[in-house]
RNA sequence: GUGGGUGUAGCGCAAUGGUUAGAGCGUCAGGCUGUGGACCUGGAGGUUGGGGGUUCGAAACCCCUCACCCACCCCA
């Protein structure tokens, strides 16, 4: 086909989809603002270094999934594959860390990853991204998940599972990593190709493998949760206790790991069986070292991202009550001279008005009015003009009556009928 | 990057290798001059994704290519 289409993995969002997006956005904003979060919008395009440093140079995202290119000056630029890096940069760049103890931020917008598209996965996708800087208290972790439950409840999403785990801090993870490597080293022959690669890259990710044999091998492996340092253990138990205070059921999945390097301690994933293979529609976790690693002061933080495309798959179409629409049907050039005055008068009154541009037959205009769901049709032809009146037809009960041909007066009259 | 599936009208679909590729929905027009939905009639709308091959004859069979979907991978 010679027609120009959207790029692979990119799509137009329209109709029901955009309504759902707007609902997700509105509901998110409502709860975020109630809980003291403020909005931040960071650029979609950033220096490539930012993502390499924050996400980790050995991750798949950085290795092969970024939209990266050189700008005219030769600098390497990248379309953001996730939001946290940019927000951390902004947090530091604006000196926010020196202005307030706790920063609660959110952003809503597009992210880009050069992946093969499939159900719930696109090259441009949208996230509601939430970050809290400045506290390592596990209550924050619980508060974030609680907020998600509020939001999901409001959107009518009921079937989902919250899985949580702790991946420990830098210290306990290093020790555990060595233990894990030695465990798998002796069982190398039974791991799939991908897991062999993971073994020296990021052995924790072997837990994510869907290969049956790998699952079998890793089912006997030591678990990080059994080897957390005391601090991390306390933190995780504190988190679980607060979740209990909120009366939110969670599933502790000791094999839950994340693909980004910066996560520490609490990690979580919210999944639904109705989504296909990409079943996580919200995920995140703590990143207590990232701010410091990015050149800022020691600042514990936690964040999460809601995948809007995926959540939209779970949100029913909320039917918006259709506003009554007035339709102006005119017959002939003389009547069309009233189009501008009528339009102005109705918009002045805050009333929605529609009309055809070409005029055409009355039947045609009536059909059009009906297809738009018009509550009233105003009919104006030579006869009415000579009598200085306009016909108002109520489309529901087919009543018709006349009003004086005075656009502002007509608009006021109809406005009263709507209230 | 790797596999599998699917590409026919705006949309969702039909058509044993055999006339001029069809119907539905939508759209436009008409149904005694200016009145909507239902109903009736008619019109417009196709390079059968694209290219090549086999054949007397291809939407169909073969090859290549592109796109979309699903899965691997990865992740929201």
């Amino acid at each position: 086909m010679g027609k120009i289409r959207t790029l692979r993995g990119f799509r137009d969002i329209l109709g029901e989809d955009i309504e759902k997006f707007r609902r997700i956005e509105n509901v998110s904003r409502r709860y975020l603002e109630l809980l003291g979060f403020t909005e931040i919008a960071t650029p979609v395009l950033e220096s490539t270094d930012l993502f390499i440093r924050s996400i980790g140079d050995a991750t798949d995202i950085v290795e092969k999934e970024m939209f990266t290119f050189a700008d005219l000056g030769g600098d390497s630029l990248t379309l953001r594959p996730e939001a946290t890096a940019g927000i951390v940069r902004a947090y530091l760049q604006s000196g926010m860390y020196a202005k307030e103890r706790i920063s609660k931020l959110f952003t809503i917008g597009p992210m880009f990853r050069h992946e093969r598209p499939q159900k719930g996965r696109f090259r441009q996708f949208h996230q509601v991204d939430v970050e809290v800087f400045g506290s390592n208290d596990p209550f924050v972790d619980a508060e974030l998940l609680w907020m998600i439950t509020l939001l999901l409840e409001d959107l009518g999403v009921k079937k989902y599972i919250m899985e949580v785990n702790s991946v420990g801090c830098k210290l306990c993870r290093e020790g555990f990593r060595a233990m894990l490597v030695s465990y798998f080293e002796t069982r190398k022959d039974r791991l799939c190709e991908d897991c062999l690669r993971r073994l020296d890259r990021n052995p924790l990710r072997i837990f994510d493998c869907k290969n049956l044999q790998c699952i079998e091998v890793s089912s006997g492996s030591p678990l990080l949760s059994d080897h957390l340092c005391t601090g991390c253990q306390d933190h995780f138990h504190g988190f679980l206790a607060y979740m209990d205070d909120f009366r939110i059921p969670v599933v502790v999945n000791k094999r839950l790991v994340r693909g980004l390097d910066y996560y520490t301690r609490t990690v979580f994933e919210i999944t639904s069986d109705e989504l296909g293979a990409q079943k996580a529609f919200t995920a995140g976790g703590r990143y207590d070292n990232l701010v410091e690693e990015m050149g800022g002061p020691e600042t514990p933080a936690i964040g999460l991202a809601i995948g809007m495309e995926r959540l939209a798959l779970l949100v029913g179409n909320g039917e918006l009550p259709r506003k009554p629409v007035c339709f102006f049907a005119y017959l002939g050039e003389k009547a069309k001279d009233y189009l501008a005055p009528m339009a102005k008068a109705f918009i002045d009154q805050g009333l929605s008005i529609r009309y055809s541009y070409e005029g055409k037959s009355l039947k045609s205009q009536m059909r059009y009015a009906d297809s738009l769901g018009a509550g009233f049709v105003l009919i104006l032809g030579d006869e009415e003009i000579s009598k200085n009146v306009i016909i108002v037809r109520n489309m529901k009960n087919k009543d018709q009556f006349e009003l004086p041909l005075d656009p502002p007066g007509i608009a006021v009259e109809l406005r009263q009928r709507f209230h």
Side-chain angles (χ1 to χ4, degrees):
Chain A
M1 209 181 275
K3 290 174 189 164
I4 298 177
R5 308 173 39 90
T6 50
L7 301 171
R8 166 175 298 191
F10 288 70
R11 56 174 203 155
D12 304 311
I13 304 165
L14 44 83
E16 276 184 16
D17 287 337
I18 198 80
E19 295 294 336
K20 288 180 182 177
F21 267 57
R22 206 155 59 184
R23 256 185 87 200
I24 292 170
E25 225 178 296
N26 291 342
V27 170
S28 301
R29 278 212 168 79
R30 185 184 317 146
Y31 291 108
L32 285 163
E33 277 160 17
L34 283 171
L35 283 165
F37 287 84
T38 55
E39 187 164 8
I40 177 172
T42 66
V44 162
L45 196 60
E46 300 255 17
S47 153
T48 302
D49 291 341
L50 171 65
F51 302 112
I52 295 177
R53 282 183 62 187
S54 61
I55 298 169
D57 52 6
T59 58
D60 288 272
I61 292 182
V62 169
E63 273 189 345
K64 52 189 189 191
E65 294 173 2
M66 297 205 300
F67 279 94
T68 295
F69 50 90
D71 81 350
L72 295 180
D75 294 331
S76 181
L77 310 181
T78 294
L79 285 167
R80 61 180 183 193
E82 56 105 49
T84 305
I87 294 186
V88 170
R89 183 202 45 68
Y91 175 76
L92 295 176
Q93 190 174 329
S94 67
M96 215 178 283
Y97 57 89
K99 294 174 189 158
E100 53 190 22
R101 295 176 69 81
I102 301 286
S103 296
K104 302 176 96 173
L105 302 171
F106 75 94
T107 193
I108 300 175
M111 310 294 157
F112 305 84
R113 287 183 203 168
H114 198 277
E115 296 182 278
R116 193 77 175 262
Q118 72 184 75
K119 188 178 174 75
R121 187 168 80 183
F122 304 93
R123 288 185 174 182
Q124 177 177 336
F125 58 101
H126 300 77
Q127 291 185 335
V128 177
D129 188 87
V130 184
E131 315 284 349
V132 180
F133 295 94
S135 172
N136 58 15
D137 196 290
F139 190 87
V140 182
D141 311 30
E143 182 192 44
L144 278 183
L145 290 183
W146 167 56
M147 186 200 68
I148 296 293
T149 64
L150 295 175
L151 199 148
L152 292 176
E153 163 121 43
D154 205 315
L155 291 170
V157 177
K158 297 200 167 84
K159 284 193 268 180
Y160 58 85
I161 299 173
M162 275 189 177
E163 291 179 283
V164 302
N165 193 23
S166 174
V167 294
C169 61
K170 247 186 189 164
L171 290 176
C172 40
R173 191 158 41 178
E174 275 316 302
F176 177 72
R177 187 188 157 113
M179 191 185 301
L180 204 61
V181 170
S182 67
Y183 172 86
F184 283 117
E185 279 291 340
T186 61
R187 296 162 174 83
K188 255 180 160 171
D189 50 315
R190 288 159 64 203
L191 290 177
C192 72
E193 233 175 85
D194 290 321
C195 282
L196 288 176
R197 220 186 65 233
R198 290 173 180 132
L199 185 53
D200 49 72
R201 276 286 161 82
N202 187 352
L204 285 173
R205 303 289 325 279
I206 295 175
F207 291 139
D208 266 348
C209 192
K210 290 174 183 170
N211 182 305
L212 283 176
Q213 205 175 1
C214 296
I215 292 175
E216 208 183 303
V217 173
S218 69
S219 68
S221 87
L223 289 166
L224 180 49
S225 53
D226 299 330
H227 297 85
L228 294 175
C229 65
T230 333
C232 289
Q233 252 179 54
D234 291 348
H235 191 273
F236 191 51
H237 290 143
F239 162 62
L240 292 177
Y242 288 130
M243 289 307 286
D244 204 44
D245 289 348
F246 278 119
R247 300 280 180 266
I248 298 169
V250 295
V251 175
V252 177
N253 176 356
K254 296 184 171 185
R255 304 158 61 83
L256 180 67
V257 294
R258 312 257 64 235
L260 280 58
D261 278 358
Y262 55 62
Y263 285 112
T264 56
R265 293 193 163 174
T266 312
V267 294
F268 48 84
E269 205 169 276
I270 306 173
T271 59
S272 165
D273 289 337
E274 292 164 45
L275 288 180
Q278 311 301 319
K279 60 188 181 136
F281 62 92
T282 295
R286 244 182 203 285
Y287 49 95
D288 289 337
N289 305 315
L290 181 60
V291 175
E292 196 179 356
E293 282 164 11
M294 297 288 289
E298 196 181 326
T299 309
I302 180 170
L304 64 78
I306 302 170
M308 295 177 75
E309 279 81 1
R310 293 183 187 177
L311 181 51
L313 291 172
L314 303 174
V315 173
N317 2 333
E319 44 207 283
L320 316 162
R322 204 198 305 228
K323 278 185 189 163
V325 175
C326 290
F327 189 97
F328 178 45
Y330 53 90
L331 297 158
E333 282 305 312
K334 267 169 83 179
K336 190 170 184 179
D337 289 343
Y338 283 86
L339 188 47
M342 286 291 282
K344 285 173 71 174
F346 273 70
I347 298 309
D348 271 353
Q349 287 300 311
L351 290 180
S352 166
I353 183 167
R354 298 290 306 267
Y355 30 78
S356 87
Y357 297 110
E358 296 86 2
K360 297 190 187 173
S361 70
L362 182 58
K363 171 184 279 222
S364 161
Q365 292 188 65
M366 290 298 288
R367 279 182 177 162
Y368 186 32
D370 187 60
S371 75
L372 296 173
F376 290 87
V377 174
L378 306 151
I379 302 168
L380 186 68
D382 291 340
E383 265 178 52
E384 289 74 27
I385 291 175
S386 67
K387 285 161 60 186
N388 203 34
V389 296
I390 192 165
I391 294 173
V392 179
R393 178 178 175 87
N394 182 327
M395 295 293 274
K396 286 219 173 65
N397 56 26
K398 301 185 179 183
D399 277 349
Q400 285 191 190
F401 56 93
E402 292 179 349
L403 286 177
L405 183 47
D406 163 46
I410 296 165
V412 169
E413 176 70 25
L414 281 167
R415 184 186 160 74
Q416 278 161 6
R417 283 170 188 269
F418 286 138
H419 292 290

